[in-house]
Amino acid sequence: MEHGMKVCIGLSGGVDSSVAALLLKRAGYDVFALFMQNWHDTTGTLHGDCEWEEDRFVAEMVARKIGIPFYFVDLSKEYRERVVDYMFDEYSKGRTPNPDVLCNREIKFDAFLKCAMKLGAEKVATGHYCRKDVIVNPDGTETFRILAGTDPNKDQSYFLCQLSQEQLSRAIFPIGDLTKPEVRAIAHEADLPSADKKDSQGICFVGKVDLPVFLQQKLAPKEGDIVEVYDSYYDACSQYQKIKDILGSVTVDGKNESLKMITDYISEDKASESAKPGMPSVSKWDEEKIAALSDEELMYVSEPVRYAIKFETETYRSGKKHVRKIRYKENPYGKIIGKHDGAQFYTVGQRKGLNVGGHKESVFVIETDMENNIIYVGEGHRHKGLSRNCLRIDPAEIHWIREDLRMTEGEIRRFKVRIRYRQPLQDAFLIMRRTGLYILFDSPQRGVTAGQFAVWYDNDEMIGSGVI
């Protein structure tokens, strides 16, 4: 540790950044705190008043307690332009963005970093649960690595998946080696005002936001149908059958028997009860066969299944007076089961907020058709529409944290991958092609969502990421 180096801690008023500040001070750094405001508008926030004012108050008390200077910066303009406008834009296209990843790339380690450097800081520290180390190359240059946090429940490396080497060179993560209980204990022992503050939920720095309400400010509601898709649809769907055939052809035995297309995954901590004993839980892929696939075939298996179920009406007579009424004819592939107020407010894998009853198991969104404003849903965790084996990242969206480990066209490598923040790491092949980076998972993935980030790791080091 370089004594006397000037470090800016992004102090949020939460316990994590407070303890990070305390540890830096104890280690002999010249520390100052910078609190950033990112939001003015209170529409859609769940607390009426501005939560950030309370946070600022706590942050200021923490800085006073530790004995470090406290500054305030308003970055709400940058935040609105780079994070919020992007979010609205993505939702309007039927994609689901991750504002926290963007906030780190665009704000904390860009606009905020520049502001800290104007105040004389050489490095910026945050309260993220992740670790950083450095490799000194033979030519004396440095390569920075991001490693998962020590606390398995709180590893936040995922949120930093878009940082560059340049940004990492300026970053310090003082609590990456600690667990949450240890951080709380340090805060109590030092009697920090934030010791008992609950973890913040919601979009970073906007406060607790009711997302649908927040989105409705910009995206106009528009009523449409909720269509339930039956299992029989997949038997008749040529796209699904072709995906199955292509994937089956690259398994070790080259047949569909050992192909697994439905996930056992229910939530971050439990697998499906209906995972049949003796059934393979993973597909065993043959690397040579994967290498032989054409770009077109890879593109085909990485696309989500599309739904087009036509509902026809018929007239019938009802009641004693035989009044003529219209109803939908029975359809073997699906049924219109309700109405929604805009496909852009829903995301694949979602089950809350659908308000459809009469089902034994939970009902999940399996596809949002923005063009026709239809939401397709399926019943149960093992519904075929919830699972996918392969996804693609557009060439323009591939980001290597370790530039030196960048894959070249035609290369295939094994990595561990996660497609959402709390997800346990999943084994997968990464296949680099001219048309993009394909991720083929050993186990089918549930609720693959366009707009989210897929992040790949080698052991506990984060290597790269990209937008699905």
Side-chain angles (χ1 to χ4, degrees):
M1 291 234 174
E2 299 159 54
H3 280 280
M5 182 204 281
K6 199 161 186 181
V7 174
C8 167
I9 172 79
L11 205 56
S12 66
V15 68
D16 298 335
S17 62
S18 303
V19 170
L22 180 70
L23 296 176
L24 289 169
K25 174 86 176 170
R26 284 181 182 172
Y29 286 104
D30 176 6
V31 189
F32 68 90
L34 185 55
F35 178 94
M36 72 169 139
Q37 180 189 357
N38 276 22
W39 201 243
H40 286 297
D41 185 1
T42 55
T43 339
T45 53
L46 298 180
H47 287 272
D49 297 346
C50 262
E51 193 169 294
W52 71 266
E53 285 174 354
E54 180 198 327
D55 289 342
R56 176 184 174 166
F57 177 68
V58 176
E60 212 162 341
M61 291 199 316
V62 168
R64 201 172 306 143
K65 178 86 186 175
I66 297 171
I68 56 176
F70 179 87
Y71 299 96
F72 170 85
V73 59
D74 183 345
L75 291 174
S76 45
K77 179 175 167 285
E78 289 81 350
Y79 190 81
R80 179 177 285 279
E81 287 167 5
R82 298 200 205 173
V83 179
V84 179
D85 290 350
Y86 171 87
M87 274 174 60
F88 283 128
D89 188 50
E90 285 285 277
Y91 275 107
S92 69
K93 292 178 183 149
R95 291 155 58 98
T96 308
N98 188 313
D100 296 298
V101 170
L102 285 167
C103 181
N104 284 314
R105 183 182 80 191
E106 300 289 335
I107 306 295
K108 281 184 211 164
F109 292 97
D110 191 341
F112 180 80
L113 173 69
K114 288 185 177 116
C115 178
M117 286 167 75
K118 275 195 194 121
L119 292 168
E122 295 168 66
K123 300 264 167 97
V124 161
T126 63
H128 283 103
Y129 286 87
C130 70
R131 295 167 297 148
K132 170 185 141 177
D133 74 9
V134 61
I135 302 166
V136 179
N137 303 315
D139 63 358
T141 56
E142 295 180 319
T143 299
F144 297 97
R145 311 193 317 147
I146 307 185
L147 307 169
T150 306
D151 186 337
N153 298 314
K154 285 297 290 183
D155 166 36
Q156 290 174 323
S157 56
Y158 180 88
F159 295 129
L160 303 169
C161 69
Q162 285 279 297
L163 296 192
S164 65
Q165 283 291 315
E166 170 58 29
Q167 288 172 312
L168 273 178
S169 72
R170 302 258 175 212
I172 302 179
F173 307 114
I175 63 168
D177 286 317
L178 301 172
T179 63
K180 187 77 186 201
E182 288 171 326
V183 167
R184 286 243 185 246
I186 292 170
H188 273 287
E189 191 190 328
D191 202 21
L192 296 180
S194 57
D196 291 313
K197 203 159 180 292
K198 287 199 166 62
D199 288 358
S200 67
Q201 291 295 318
I203 304 168
C204 64
F205 292 111
V206 178
K208 295 181 178 60
V209 170
D210 180 12
L211 204 56
V213 174
F214 188 64
L215 293 172
Q216 272 161 2
Q217 299 171 56
K218 283 268 178 81
L219 307 174
K222 184 181 165 204
E223 192 179 73
D225 289 330
I226 299 177
V227 174
E228 181 179 354
V229 179
Y230 299 151
D231 199 52
S232 53
Y233 179 82
Y234 299 91
D235 297 331
C237 170
S238 59
Q239 184 196 2
Y240 190 82
Q241 294 305 322
K242 186 174 169 182
I243 291 173
K244 195 172 171 178
D245 290 342
I246 296 172
L247 289 173
S249 74
V250 295
T251 54
V252 172
D253 63 6
K255 300 192 197 74
N256 283 353
E257 277 97 81
S258 63
L259 173 64
K260 188 174 166 61
M261 287 181 74
I262 298 173
T263 178
D264 292 332
Y265 173 93
I266 283 191
S267 67
E268 307 309 352
D269 44 15
K270 56 177 190 271
S272 155
E273 302 302 312
S274 52
K276 298 188 180 66
M279 285 289 283
S281 62
V282 297
S283 301
K284 295 202 171 24
W285 308 118
D286 182 319
E287 197 173 329
E288 280 182 17
K289 292 178 183 169
I290 295 171
L293 286 175
S294 68
D295 283 14
E296 288 70 31
E297 287 171 313
L298 274 167
M299 183 82 92
Y300 199 91
V301 296
S302 71
E303 289 288 321
V305 172
R306 300 281 174 230
Y307 299 93
I309 304 174
K310 294 270 176 280
F311 293 98
E312 291 171 10
T313 53
E314 59 186 3
T315 52
Y316 66 103
R317 298 195 177 275
S318 153
K320 286 191 177 137
K321 299 219 164 71
H322 296 292
V323 182
R324 288 186 61 163
K325 288 190 178 174
I326 292 179
R327 65 181 168 200
Y328 286 108
K329 284 184 186 169
E330 289 268 313
N331 188 309
Y333 303 129
K335 184 182 182 177
I336 296 171
I337 59 167
K339 296 281 182 200
H340 63 80
D341 51 10
Q344 70 272 27
F345 300 128
Y346 295 85
T347 182
V348 172
Q350 176 178 339
R351 66 174 175 190
K352 293 190 173 71
L354 283 168
N355 302 324
V356 290
H359 290 77
K360 212 164 70 183
E361 288 190 68
S362 302
V363 173
F364 297 91
V365 176
I366 55 173
E367 166 85 291
T368 56
D369 175 349
M370 299 299 293
E371 215 173 305
N372 302 304
N373 197 31
I374 298 169
I375 296 178
Y376 292 97
V377 300
E379 180 179 7
H381 289 281
R382 295 184 60 79
H383 191 278
K384 289 187 173 81
L386 261 186
S387 295
R388 271 169 67 189
N389 296 71
C390 186
L391 60 86
R392 182 181 80 96
I393 292 165
D394 192 81
E397 297 280 11
I398 305 167
H399 172 72
W400 294 95
I401 295 160
R402 290 287 303 274
E403 287 285 346
D404 54 325
L405 298 179
R406 179 182 282 279
M407 289 169 68
T408 54
E409 207 176 300
E411 207 179 333
I412 299 179
R413 263 194 235 157
R414 290 290 279 174
F415 281 109
K416 291 197 177 295
V417 181
R418 60 166 54 107
I419 55 171
R420 60 180 83 81
Y421 161 46
R422 292 301 299 259
Q423 187 190 26
L425 289 169
Q426 308 287 310
D427 291 305
F429 278 109
L430 266 63
I431 307 145
M432 190 65 160
R433 293 291 175 94
R434 184 184 51 76
T435 49
L437 180 62
Y438 295 89
I439 303 181
L440 179 62
F441 292 92
D442 293 11
S443 300
Q445 296 299 300
R446 153 205 177 140
V448 175
T449 312
Q452 289 279 10
F453 289 89
V455 181
W456 47 98
Y457 293 76
D458 182 6
N459 291 319
D460 60 355
E461 180 185 0
M462 188 160 62
I463 305 294
S465 69
V467 180
I468 299 169

